[in-house]
Amino acid sequence: LLLATTLSVQANQTTINSIEQAAMTLNSTELASLANENSGYEQALANYRLSITQNLQGLSAQANTRLDLAIKALETLTKQQPTDDEAWVLLAQVYGLKIAYQPMQAMLFGPKAEQAINQGLALNNENPRAYLVKGISAFNTPSLFGGSKSAALKALNRSIALYSQDASSTTWGNAEAYIW
């Protein structure tokens, strides 16, 4: 059982590494393939990264479609596995990106993003990706609605500190914490 669990964790991280490599090179073909070949969390991550790539390439309709697929997969996953902090954190990030693509949707997705990140942090207060997402959200949220550049910096610094200790099976986002 331990060997099977270890192999599963390695397989998941191998897939995540492939997704991250394809995203860094803006390889939309590879990201689409990874999204189609996988399910659950990995599929949602691939669709999230593909959405960013397509948006950068000026394909906003396709980017929104991929983001909607990521939302659907993550909402299903959080219902099926409500204690999966990684799914909640990625869902919060995906909701935030939805707001970036469609600012008029902020009233709908803002509270959902906040609820998702709070759930992720409640499940695992040591998740570096949770602090990354919290920092991005604080940076992009207007101060009128609770955003703060100083809160963003605090969360991002916490994220960076936690990445040095991260031993989870879903490692991604370390470079982004430094960039933000």
Side-chain angles (χ1 to χ4, degrees), residues 106-127:
M107 294 300 286
L108 172 64
F109 289 105
K112 287 183 173 193
E114 184 176 359
Q115 187 264 337
I117 195 60
N118 288 340
Q119 184 65 27
L121 282 166
L123 291 166
N124 182 359
N125 197 36
E126 299 295 310
N127 183 330

Side-chain angles (χ1 to χ4, degrees), residues 138-157:
F139 184 86
N140 286 306
T141 301
S143 59
L144 180 64
F145 298 105
S148 162
K149 303 301 186 244
S150 63
L153 184 59
K154 183 178 176 183
L156 293 167
N157 282 334

Side-chain angles (χ1 to χ4, degrees), residues 60-83:
S60 60
Q62 292 94 324
N64 270 304
T65 298
R66 287 297 178 162
L67 206 55
D68 290 340
L69 290 171
I71 288 171
K72 182 178 178 181
L74 289 164
E75 286 177 344
T76 299
L77 188 58
T78 55
K79 285 179 183 153
Q80 293 171 344
Q81 300 175 18
T83 60

Side-chain angles (χ1 to χ4, degrees), residues 20 48-49 89 93 117 121 127-140 152 154-160 162-163 172-180:
E20 293 303 286
Y48 161 70
R49 292 298 195 199
V89 169
Q93 180 65 0
I117 195 60
L121 282 166
N127 183 330
R129 284 157 298 286
Y131 288 96
L132 168 64
V133 173
K134 186 175 181 174
I136 293 169
S137 178
F139 184 86
N140 286 306
K154 183 178 176 183
L156 293 167
N157 282 334
R158 177 80 173 132
S159 175
I160 290 167
L162 288 170
Y163 269 112
W172 61 268
N174 190 9
E176 288 169 281
Y178 283 98
I179 291 168
W180 277 98

